[in-house]
Amino acid sequence: MIVDIKFSCDSRCMYIPDGYICNLNKVHLSFFDWIENQPDCITVSPGGQYGLTFDAYDFLRYLNTEILKDVNEKAYFVERKGDKSDIDATLYF
């Protein structure tokens, strides 16, 4: 399936192998639980406030290391088509 991954300042298309994800929205939400435990995605402001920073590459890493970890097929970025007719779903971050 082709998924359009949208962030406030970035948008990428990603191929996710068919048959491994039954509920894309559940995977999307579980990504946020996973990202909280990734030290490279945690930032600390000069005032000591903690925050998270992530992008489409982090979602790709999550898919391939957690959701698709036991399969040979992996998710990857693909070029966006002009007419968007090949997009199966859109996820907003």
Side-chain angles (χ1 to χ4, degrees), residues 46-66:
Q49 304 251 334
Y50 286 84
L52 294 172
T53 180
F54 54 88
D55 59 17
Y57 290 95
D58 294 306
F59 187 66
L60 179 67
R61 180 170 52 124
Y62 165 71
L63 288 175
N64 287 334
T65 61
E66 298 297 318

Side-chain angles (χ1 to χ4, degrees), residues 42-45 48-52:
I42 298 172
T43 62
V44 182
S45 73
Q49 304 251 334
Y50 286 84
L52 294 172

Side-chain angles (χ1 to χ4, degrees), residues 3-32:
V3 179
D4 195 11
I5 308 293
K6 292 189 176 281
F7 291 83
S8 58
C9 60
D10 188 28
S11 181
R12 306 284 309 253
C13 280
M14 181 183 296
Y15 168 77
I16 301 173
D18 293 329
Y20 300 106
I21 296 177
C22 297
N23 186 333
L24 188 59
N25 288 327
K26 184 176 178 181
V27 170
H28 181 217
L29 291 175
S30 65
F31 166 74
F32 294 108

